[in-house]
Amino acid sequence: SKAIKDFDAIGFQDNLGEDVPRLGCSVGLDLQYVDKRVNTANSTSKIDTTNPIVRQVLSKRTILDQWLWRRARLDHAAQSPVHNE
């Protein structure tokens, strides 16, 4: 898409171990990804995603995020020779 071409680099949350160092390198920084939670909530309450109503509401609230993630993944794969192997 046209919008993705405006970015010099793209990283994905589910691939931070590889993407953070690559993104750092693109701006001249030696960055290493550390899988550590910061500022985690003290609450132990969790959302019950097995509840169909909860799943429906979450799906509606995240539909733009889901579309953008899929589109960015497809566009990134199409432009990246590394991911096409």
Side-chain angles (χ1 to χ4, degrees):
S1 84
K2 294 178 185 178
I4 203 166
K5 293 177 184 174
D6 291 339
F7 293 93
D8 293 327
I10 295 176
F12 293 95
Q13 187 172 356
D14 61 335
N15 196 34
L16 290 177
E18 293 178 21
D19 288 347
V20 167
R22 182 177 53 78
L23 293 171
C25 185
S26 72
V27 293
L29 297 173
D30 182 20
L31 297 178
Q32 298 302 314
Y33 173 68
V34 178
D35 190 10
K36 177 182 175 185
R37 291 185 176 247
V38 178
N39 295 331
T40 57
N42 292 330
S43 171
T44 58
S45 63
K46 304 246 185 234
I47 296 173
D48 179 11
T49 56
T50 61
N51 181 322
I53 295 171
V54 171
R55 290 180 66 83
Q56 182 180 19
V57 169
L58 287 174
S59 179
K60 285 181 180 178
R61 289 182 176 239
T62 62
I63 196 162
L64 178 60
D65 293 337
Q66 294 172 44
W67 176 86
L68 182 59
W69 185 88
R70 284 190 301 271
R71 182 60 189 249
R73 275 286 190 199
L74 290 171
D75 287 355
H76 182 66
Q79 295 176 13
S80 175
V82 174
H83 289 91
N84 288 333
E85 296 177 14

